[in-house]
Amino acid sequence: MAKGLMSCLKKRDLIQDVTTGREILIKSGLEYLNQGRTLESLEFFERSQDSEGLRTLQKRGLEEGDPFLYKQACKSLKESPDPAAWKRIGEIALSQGRFHQALTAFKALADESKIKEMEQLIADLNQNDHE
């Protein structure tokens, strides 16, 4: 377990307990975020409805090419994802060799040419793995 982080059971109990204060949830979310544990921080920020924390994760998803993180942050903020952001996310993921994440972003953008490109790239990689 990373330094200073709680056990998974304690985390679950804290998130699910309706009496947990918003400040505790935000503080815990920030602790996980500072440890680079974005999905855990997302849980705390969603539960606390902390728009500042959610915007930080939305921005991080955009900057790091993480379509799941971006989409979840947008959903929690009750915002529609920006088409320009999907394009950027897809390009970043592609440049980092994360082809399935790039495909996810290009599907959200409905960019048929990029979808076909990613599907072909993934199929080629899978074929090479089986040779």
Side-chain angles (χ1 to χ4, degrees):
M1 183 167 33
K3 183 180 179 186
L5 299 180
M6 62 192 81
S7 73
C8 61
L9 295 176
K10 180 172 171 133
K11 179 181 71 126
R12 180 201 65 198
D13 291 344
L14 196 61
I15 289 171
Q16 292 181 354
D17 185 349
V18 295
T19 64
T20 302
R22 185 171 186 268
E23 298 79 23
I24 292 171
L25 293 167
I26 293 170
K27 181 179 180 233
S28 298
L30 289 171
E31 288 171 3
Y32 277 92
L33 183 61
N34 290 334
Q35 293 284 331
R37 311 274 299 263
T38 54
L39 296 181
E40 286 96 337
S41 66
L42 178 64
E43 291 180 275
F44 283 103
F45 294 146
E46 284 177 331
R47 171 72 170 73
S48 65
Q49 298 178 344
D50 179 38
S51 61
E52 184 178 339
L54 291 167
R55 290 213 183 281
T56 298
L57 293 177
Q58 182 185 43
K59 182 180 176 189
R60 185 170 287 187
L62 177 62
E63 291 171 349
E64 295 179 0
D66 185 335
F68 174 77
L69 185 59
Y70 178 75
K71 181 179 178 182
Q72 285 302 115
C74 286
K75 181 179 175 183
S76 295
L77 289 164
K78 297 180 174 72
E79 295 178 357
S80 296
D82 178 28
W86 281 128
K87 181 173 175 51
R88 183 172 175 204
I89 290 167
E91 294 296 337
I92 291 169
L94 175 59
S95 74
Q96 296 175 354
R98 294 181 288 117
F99 306 122
H100 287 281
Q101 289 187 337
L103 177 60
T104 298
F106 293 133
K107 281 183 175 180
L109 184 58
D111 184 333
E112 290 302 322
S113 66
K114 284 290 192 180
I115 292 169
K116 288 178 184 175
E117 179 186 338
M118 290 299 97
E119 288 174 341
Q120 185 61 53
L121 186 57
I122 291 167
D124 291 347
L125 288 172
N126 287 338
Q127 175 129 8
N128 289 340
D129 286 346
H130 295 296
E131 291 179 356

